[in-house]
Amino acid sequence: MIHQSNPQPLFDPPIVGRAIVDAFRKLDPRQQARNPVIFVVAVGAMMTSVILIADLLRGITDGLLFNLQITLWLWFTVLFSNFAEAMAEGRGKAQADSLRKTRREMTARLLVGGNGSQKEKRVPAPELRIGDLVVCEAGDQIPGDGEVVEGIASVDESAITGESAPVIRESGGDRSAVTGGTRVLSDRIVIRITAEQGSTFLDRMIALVEGAKRKKTPNEIALTILLSGLTIIFLLAVISLKPFADYAEAESGLTRTAVTIPVLIALLVCLIPTTIGGLLSAIGISGMDRLIQRNVLATSGRAVEAAGDVDVLLLDKTGTITLGNRMATAFHPAAGVDQARLAHAAQLSSLADETPEGRSVVILAKEKYGLRGQELAAPHAHFVPFTAQTRMSGIDFPALNGRPAIAIRKGAADAVRQHVTVLGGRYPNDVDALVNHIAAEGGTPLVVAEDREVLGVIELKDVVKGGMSERFAQLRKMGIRTVMITGDNPLTAAAIAAEAGVDDFMAQATPEDKLRRIRQEQANGHLVAMTGDGTNDAPALAQSDVGVAMNTGTQAAREAGNMIDLDSDPTKLIEIVEIGKQLLMTRGALTTFSIANDVAKYFAIIPALFGGIYAATGTTAGPLSALNIMRLTSPESAILSAIIFNALIIVALIPLALRGIAYRPLGAAAVLRRNLLIYGLGGLVIPFIGIKLIDIVITILGLV
């Protein structure tokens, strides 16, 4: 189960135990090679191990304890890095194990034969193929991903979403998609299988949450290249130190070299960016984990990163900005039209409108005038369903028994105006005034027409969700522009947009308009995010940089998006953007800290290491010892203290890498200043303090 009412503890004992084991498994060179920085550390640890074993075999005891400690702490550095990655993966694996419990072997009731003689046949679920029709009744577990092609039923999806409340799945519309592993609670449905076994939604969920197929994101690849470049530079610098050190020691008359191969390896490990190198993978994995904790599945880490760079949000009005329960509240007849006649026509035109608004019109007419739809639908009537393209619904009565043909339409004001005008009718001014008045008040007007005559206006009301204006203000501080999308007329859209506090809006928007707007924004250099749930949203979801599909939506929408919201909450898009920004901020902050660390360790080690060179006769302190501001005990203690600190700081930063940096809606300049102050300055100061304390401890313990 993905959904967790109580967040998973950061250091859950079973996860920690598994991570410790996995840390050793990751010592496999094939896995280490994926992280160039830590691979260098592993190679260095292997070299010092070989030198240590060779000294033991030759009976050399001078510096044996020192070399042993260096070797152990190098291996600890590698293991701590592996442990950080394994901890991030372990949280996903625990969730995957929970999901696997829902995927057990089951049988399916396969329909075989022609339409006229279909029979049920019990077959194992793994044998189902795309296009197969299966029957599910109350108590049955849905054997695979599919679309409901017949019937309606309540379905328990708690195994997938964690939400205990059942959901309705029905044929036609945008709530036809079902997921394998969920359970039918009532009624009977026929499902067409849309995914092969092994590539179902549940299979993909398991693979995603456990990170089995995780690939590095473009930002990770770029940062890895940068870190590799820095590692090569420091490698060349450390290698060049050996001949210079040997020459200087010879000129100084020193008989014992301080710059041994193990020391150079330790110096290299301390100078290269091991901190961010060891935590980089864990940061990316934990970013996806935080999304999963909020019941959002990202098909790739790239989508999470893109969410952090998004600067334009396209949000539907209904259900996202408003409560979504837009209902018919009043009938406003045109001059000379009886209100009961308007209600009668409005109900007839709404019988084929399966939207919540259409159903509310039918209910309002029934409540106010006792009209029943089933009594009004005359024989031979042709229903015209609502579509996003026409933005109208209606009913056509053919000429019958001397009665002329009648065409009733209900829809957006401009759509009905065009319809009436084409038929040669007149659009009354008083109706136009009603439409403008309702829209200006934040309502939604729907105009009803019978043939060429406009009968009046239906008023729909919706309510802006609480706190939306504050959330949009936060997004504005982050440099994100919000665009509300609605099929309402411009006046209604403007009223809702002003109340909600969005930056821009699209009124009377069709699916083509959405796609066109996304392409326009991208052409201007913006990264765009949007939500959707219907088949008509699929092109826009696929075109957007971050497309969040609702789990309750169609299969086409879920496949087009690069994220799936299991809770089907359109406002989740705002949280997704925040998590994406948190991921980028965490990676940037720890990179800053790591590089600052390296600078501090450089000034801590080098002066202590070469402090005895060119010392005056009878003294042990040379000119470079003046730079030993930390007053470290000896070159050996300086190296050992630095290598210990280098290993322990990775462990200390694991919680920050997993949790992420606390997000605040600040501008880029403010974030940069905060980053440099906390993690830049902190990265410089903390190593000096830490290395000095470790130096004191190991000196007291006599380890050097």
Side-chain angles (χ1 to χ4, degrees):
M1 185 169 68
I2 292 290
H3 179 80
Q4 297 174 352
S5 57
N6 296 315
Q8 197 177 43
L10 192 62
F11 291 102
D12 196 26
I15 295 177
V16 172
R18 177 187 286 184
I20 292 173
V21 175
D22 288 345
F24 285 92
R25 290 175 178 168
K26 289 178 178 291
L27 291 175
D28 184 341
R30 292 170 296 182
Q31 293 198 47
Q32 291 296 311
R34 295 184 300 177
N35 189 333
V37 176
I38 302 303
F39 181 70
V40 170
V41 181
V43 171
M46 183 63 69
M47 291 177 63
T48 58
S49 299
V50 171
I51 293 172
L52 183 67
I53 294 171
D55 287 347
L56 285 172
L57 293 176
R58 290 183 295 173
I60 300 175
T61 59
D62 188 30
L64 189 65
L65 177 61
F66 177 65
N67 290 343
L68 174 62
Q69 292 180 87
I70 287 179
T71 301
L72 289 174
W73 282 106
L74 288 175
W75 282 117
F76 284 148
T77 303
V78 177
L79 288 171
F80 291 160
S81 172
N82 292 348
F83 177 75
E85 183 178 21
M87 276 294 297
E89 292 176 347
R91 293 163 69 84
K93 288 178 180 178
Q95 294 167 338
D97 290 341
S98 180
L99 285 171
R100 285 192 180 93
K101 295 178 181 178
T102 69
R103 189 184 62 180
R104 55 180 181 265
E105 290 296 322
M106 67 189 86
T107 59
R109 297 163 60 183
L110 177 65
L111 288 178
V112 295
N115 291 332
S117 60
Q118 284 186 328
K119 296 181 179 179
E120 291 185 16
K121 178 184 177 183
R122 293 269 182 184
V123 299
E127 294 182 7
L128 293 175
R129 297 294 180 262
I130 295 176
D132 286 345
L133 296 178
V134 297
V135 177
C136 289
E137 294 180 326
D140 291 344
Q141 198 167 23
I142 296 174
D145 293 359
E147 299 271 357
V148 179
V149 296
E150 181 183 321
I152 180 172
S154 60
V155 179
D156 177 12
E157 296 186 344
S158 60
I160 303 297
T161 67
E163 180 57 53
S164 58
V167 296
I168 301 298
R169 293 288 177 263
E170 59 186 325
S171 60
D174 293 340
R175 294 184 178 271
S176 61
V178 291
T179 304
T182 58
R183 187 175 298 278
V184 177
L185 297 179
S186 69
D187 303 293
R188 177 184 184 273
I189 52 176
V190 178
I191 301 166
R192 179 185 293 112
I193 299 298
T194 58
E196 296 281 0
Q197 295 295 319
S199 60
T200 65
F201 183 63
L202 191 58
D203 292 318
R204 286 185 288 141
M205 285 175 64
I206 293 171
L208 287 169
V209 299
E210 68 181 356
K213 297 181 179 179
R214 181 180 179 271
K215 296 180 179 179
K216 287 186 177 181
T217 65
N219 282 351
E220 277 186 286
I221 293 172
L223 187 55
T224 300
I225 293 172
L226 173 63
L227 298 180
S228 300
L230 290 174
T231 300
I232 293 172
I233 292 171
F234 279 117
L235 177 62
L236 295 174
V238 170
I239 291 174
S240 67
L241 279 178
K242 181 61 176 173
F244 284 114
D246 290 345
Y247 175 80
E249 287 173 342
E251 288 293 307
S252 300
L254 299 176
T255 57
R256 180 176 177 271
T257 180
V259 188
T260 61
I261 298 298
V263 167
L264 286 176
I265 292 172
L267 178 63
L268 173 64
V269 170
C270 287
L271 296 183
I272 63 177
T274 52
T275 305
I276 184 62
L279 298 172
L280 184 59
S281 181
I283 294 170
I285 296 171
S286 60
M288 296 188 69
D289 178 69
R290 284 192 292 276
L291 271 182
I292 292 167
Q293 296 292 331
R294 289 165 175 81
N295 270 8
V296 178
L297 287 182
T299 58
S300 68
R302 183 171 186 173
V304 186
E305 283 188 351
D309 288 327
V310 160
D311 55 358
V312 176
L313 287 184
L314 270 61
L315 304 100
D316 282 327
K317 184 198 75 167
T318 306
T320 304
I321 296 173
T322 63
L323 292 174
N325 56 345
R326 188 170 60 174
M327 308 294 286
T329 57
F331 295 115
H332 301 280
V337 178
D338 183 67
Q339 192 175 58
R341 182 190 174 193
L342 170 61
H344 181 276
Q347 188 184 60
L348 280 172
S349 62
S350 300
L351 293 178
D353 185 357
E354 293 298 322
T355 65
E357 293 89 346
R359 293 171 182 171
S360 74
V361 173
V362 175
I363 294 171
L364 181 64
K366 176 185 174 182
E367 290 176 347
K368 294 194 74 170
Y369 299 99
L371 301 174
R372 293 185 174 272
Q374 62 267 31
E375 298 172 356
L376 297 171
H380 311 294
H382 172 68
F383 292 105
V384 180
F386 175 86
T387 67
Q389 284 74 26
T390 65
R391 292 182 297 127
M392 291 191 301
S393 65
I395 188 170
D396 294 336
F397 295 99
L400 190 67
N401 299 327
R403 187 194 66 188
I406 301 173
I408 302 174
R409 293 292 185 271
K410 175 216 68 184
D414 64 318
V416 175
R417 180 197 294 268
Q418 184 180 3
H419 171 75
V420 171
T421 303
V422 169
L423 294 177
R426 186 181 68 85
Y427 193 85
N429 291 331
D430 63 318
V431 171
D432 202 33
L434 274 172
V435 167
N436 292 336
H437 175 73
I438 293 170
E441 295 295 320
T444 299
L446 296 179
V447 179
V448 181
E450 182 178 311
D451 291 330
R452 296 182 298 176
E453 182 184 4
V454 178
L455 301 181
V457 184
I458 307 168
E459 182 178 358
L460 304 179
K461 281 286 189 180
D462 201 354
V463 179
V464 175
K465 293 180 178 178
M468 292 304 295
S469 61
E470 290 79 5
R471 299 196 73 176
F472 289 137
Q474 289 183 341
L475 290 171
R476 200 172 295 112
K477 290 180 181 178
M478 297 155 49
I480 297 173
R481 180 162 49 89
T482 52
V483 181
M484 183 187 76
I485 303 173
T486 177
D488 291 336
N489 66 69
L491 286 176
T492 301
I496 297 294
E499 184 179 353
V502 296
D503 299 306
D504 196 4
F505 65 90
M506 289 178 61
Q508 300 174 341
T510 64
E512 292 79 11
D513 293 332
K514 294 181 186 179
L515 186 60
R516 194 179 302 112
R517 179 62 178 263
I518 291 172
R519 288 173 175 171
Q520 180 186 340
E521 296 285 357
Q522 291 172 332
N524 292 333
H526 299 292
L527 286 177
V528 182
M530 72 161 289
T531 61
D533 60 357
T535 300
N536 59 359
D537 291 324
L541 287 170
Q543 180 65 40
S544 60
D545 300 286
V546 179
V548 185
M550 303 294 102
N551 191 46
T552 56
T554 62
Q555 188 72 18
R558 294 198 295 184
E559 290 178 355
N562 49 24
M563 291 189 185
I564 299 172
D565 179 17
L566 301 180
D567 294 330
S568 299
D569 177 10
T571 62
K572 194 75 70 67
L573 184 58
I574 299 174
E575 292 182 55
I576 291 170
V577 171
E578 292 178 351
I579 291 171
K581 288 192 173 294
Q582 186 185 33
L583 169 64
L584 297 178
M585 289 170 60
T586 303
R587 187 182 294 151
L590 291 185
T591 300
T592 303
F593 184 89
S594 179
I595 294 174
N597 252 293
D598 297 335
V599 174
K601 285 181 287 188
Y602 179 88
F603 284 101
I605 298 171
I606 298 296
L609 187 61
F610 297 99
I613 295 177
Y614 300 118
T617 304
T619 64
T620 56
L624 288 178
S625 63
L627 298 177
N628 185 15
I629 58 176
M630 297 172 63
R631 295 294 181 260
L632 301 178
T633 307
S634 66
E636 289 80 7
S637 72
I639 286 289
L640 190 56
S641 299
I643 203 74
I644 293 174
F645 175 84
N646 195 67
L648 294 181
I649 197 66
I650 295 176
V651 178
L653 292 175
I654 288 176
L656 186 60
L658 296 181
R659 287 200 181 99
I661 292 173
Y663 171 77
R664 295 179 183 175
L666 303 172
V671 170
L672 181 60
R673 286 195 300 270
R674 184 171 176 268
N675 222 14
L676 291 175
L677 180 63
I678 298 176
Y679 299 98
L681 184 60
L684 285 172
V685 173
I686 290 175
F688 283 98
I689 299 172
I691 291 172
K692 181 60 180 178
L693 291 175
I694 295 171
D695 177 77
I696 295 172
V697 172
I698 63 176
T699 302
I700 292 174
L701 296 176
L703 298 178
V704 291

